[in-house]
Amino acid sequence: MDESRPIGRILLFGVQHVLVMAATPISAIFLMSATLRLDPGLTVDLLSAAFLLSGVGTLVQSLGPWKCGPRLPFVMLPGGAPLILFLAIAEQHGLPTASGAVIITAVFYFVVLPVFSRLLAFFPALVIGTMIVIVGVNLVKVGALLVTGRPGQPGFADTTNLLLGLATIGFTVAFYWLFTGVLRQLAVMLGLIAGTALAFALGSVDTGPAAGGGLLNVPQLLPFGSPQFNLIAALPLMLYSLASMAEATGQTVINAEAVGKEIDKRTDVPKTIRGDAVTSLLGGFFGLPLMVTSGENIGIVRVTGVRSRYVTAAAGVVLIVIGFLAPVTRAISVIPSAVVGGTAMVVFAVITVLGVQMLGRADLDRHTHTFVCAVAIALGLLPILVPGVYGGFAPGVRILLESGVAVGAFVAAVLNILFHHVRPRLARKRVPAAVPAQAGESRPATPVQHS
């Protein structure tokens, strides 16, 4: 994990990380632009900022300066649930208030972190393994939707996109089977490139976004003007941050296991959360949603066997360079979503397997462990498998219930406490005290025991 290699090889593996995660910031910014009707110039600025801050956050998590970052091979990106909440705040209260909400939430991380770190003792392998399985299943669904599109929308399950997604998976498997050594470790990137080449051959690549434009682009500070701070508007993001910290706990543990590093959850998990907080704080001043650690890159580490944190640090440098080089950003944006989705499905499924492996060490032969895991997975997967199931609840409650990861982690943690902490204590209290000896009876001497 702490080993460095020749710079050429480090950069090559770093580029693989970038290619796997690049679609997320691109799709996140394009969704922001379409939803909020941003002009093209502002969209380019935000895309540049997304790559820049992803690179900065990746360096922080990989190198771990000033107790920020666990020194593990992490990559950071915007997107997911924080993006949806950012858009909801922006549509209701305006973009300056949305940026202010991100900044407030980043500070909120630091405020609640001391309390959260004391609760980590209640997150054993049973709880974290359950959470990782739910995270993996959720991410596989995200990757699949990149291939199929959303049900009910035009182009859903388009045969060409399905062909590209499945072919990309097939290419990745073929490269992993055929090659050894470095080439085998690059199987994910090679599969992505082969899938893109097939898309070119089928005429499914839109090269329009890659044409024209200048060479350099500098991200704009405060693109929406001065942030406005509204605690009520920021509440959804602040509530989400609690789920984000639980997810960061699972990602830190599973990443450490993937690279074979012994960690102390009470000291290393807060470092990951501080890295998220610092990067999100900076991102708020550049108009971005919350920045989070990337789950797919943990899968890349496991698939390739390349554990060095200097590889993801190199990826961070590449991301920063991309943030300033407009042509590179435009070129990456032409990779079809179906190809990215095919790659993502493989990488995300690896995360699910890692969760299953962790559960295998959680002694599921014990009936209570099996019961806790089953209930948590059932409730955690409910909003993932049946979207909109909590649509009739109040908005503040719905935000938490619709996060399958948060629900699964909460249920597993609570049931673990009830069955393995509260119930044994109650059972000990129910044990009747020894009956006093009757008068005249002799009682054997009992030695005094000291703790």
Side-chain angles (χ1 to χ4, degrees):
M1 186 197 64
D2 293 320
E3 185 179 2
S4 182
R5 289 286 186 170
I7 187 65
R9 180 174 295 187
I10 290 289
L11 279 174
L12 190 62
F13 289 132
V15 169
Q16 179 172 240
H17 277 277
V18 171
L19 288 176
V20 170
M21 59 76 67
T24 300
I26 291 172
S27 59
I29 299 305
F30 285 176
L31 179 61
M32 280 182 60
S33 179
T35 304
L36 303 175
R37 298 177 180 85
L38 306 179
D39 64 75
L42 183 56
T43 301
V44 172
D45 282 339
L46 290 174
L47 186 58
S48 178
F51 277 109
L52 175 62
L53 267 298
S54 294
V56 170
T58 299
L59 287 173
V60 169
Q61 299 288 25
S62 301
L63 301 181
W66 310 301
K67 295 185 179 181
C68 293
R71 297 187 178 183
L72 288 169
F74 270 125
V75 173
M76 291 196 68
L77 43 74
L83 172 64
I84 303 303
L85 295 175
F86 179 90
L87 294 177
I89 296 170
E91 288 183 316
Q92 187 173 359
H93 301 281
L95 281 165
T97 302
S99 293
V102 172
I103 296 171
I104 290 173
T105 304
V107 175
F108 181 71
Y109 272 116
F110 290 105
V111 173
V112 301
L113 184 55
V115 177
F116 181 80
S117 62
R118 291 188 176 90
L119 300 177
L120 290 176
F122 299 105
F123 286 82
L126 176 65
V127 176
I128 294 177
T130 302
M131 182 170 59
I132 292 300
V133 169
I134 297 172
V135 169
V137 172
N138 187 35
L139 290 175
V140 169
K141 180 182 178 181
V142 171
L145 290 176
L146 289 174
V147 177
T148 65
R150 294 190 174 276
Q153 294 186 355
F156 171 68
D158 179 77
T159 54
T160 301
N161 288 335
L162 286 173
L163 172 64
L164 288 175
L166 294 175
T168 301
I169 295 174
F171 287 136
T172 304
V173 172
F175 291 134
Y176 199 81
W177 180 69
L178 287 170
F179 297 140
T180 58
V182 175
L183 288 178
R184 190 179 200 186
Q185 293 171 328
L186 293 171
V188 174
M189 184 175 71
L190 294 175
L192 187 70
I193 294 172
T196 305
L198 177 61
F200 265 109
L202 296 177
S204 299
V205 176
D206 180 14
T207 58
L215 179 63
L216 294 176
N217 187 70
V218 179
Q220 180 182 350
L221 188 64
L222 300 178
F224 310 131
S226 299
Q228 296 181 7
F229 302 105
N230 184 327
L231 282 175
I232 302 301
L235 186 59
L237 269 181
M238 294 166 68
L239 290 174
Y240 170 80
S241 69
L242 300 176
S244 177
M245 287 191 284
E247 188 169 350
T249 302
Q251 288 185 335
T252 303
V253 173
I254 207 71
N255 200 352
E257 291 201 352
V259 300
K261 178 183 179 181
E262 294 286 338
I263 64 169
D264 180 355
K265 284 188 294 185
R266 292 196 61 176
T267 57
D268 288 292
V269 169
K271 291 178 183 178
T272 302
I273 296 173
R274 288 189 202 103
D276 287 356
V278 169
T279 310
S280 296
L281 184 63
L282 294 174
F285 288 99
F286 285 93
L288 298 176
L290 285 179
M291 305 288 293
V292 295
T293 48
S294 164
E296 57 259 46
N297 292 90
I298 302 174
I300 285 289
V301 170
R302 189 57 180 262
V303 169
T304 63
V306 179
R307 304 178 177 187
S308 174
R309 61 191 175 97
Y310 294 105
V311 168
T312 49
V317 174
V318 172
L319 287 166
I320 292 173
V321 171
I322 291 174
F324 290 108
L325 290 180
V328 178
T329 305
R330 292 194 295 268
I332 290 177
S333 68
V334 305
I335 300 176
S337 62
V339 174
V340 176
T343 300
M345 287 174 65
V346 175
V347 175
F348 292 158
V350 171
I351 295 174
T352 308
V353 174
L354 293 176
V356 172
Q357 286 180 341
M358 182 171 287
L359 285 177
R361 297 192 298 274
D363 193 14
L364 291 182
D365 290 336
R366 294 179 60 182
H367 295 304
T368 53
H369 285 198
T370 303
F371 183 79
V372 169
C373 180
V375 174
I377 288 179
L379 294 178
L381 291 182
L382 179 60
I384 296 172
L385 300 178
V386 189
V389 66
Y390 297 116
F393 286 77
V397 177
R398 191 169 68 243
I399 289 169
L400 291 178
L401 292 179
E402 289 182 346
S403 173
V405 177
V407 171
F410 177 78
V411 171
V414 170
L415 292 181
N416 177 67
I417 293 170
L418 290 176
F419 279 97
H420 301 132
H421 294 271
V422 176
R423 195 167 185 267
R425 290 181 182 177
L426 293 177
R428 285 194 296 269
K429 289 182 179 179
R430 291 197 196 101
V431 176
V435 179
Q438 298 296 324
E441 290 186 41
S442 62
R443 175 182 298 176
T446 302
V448 177
Q449 295 183 350
H450 298 280
S451 60

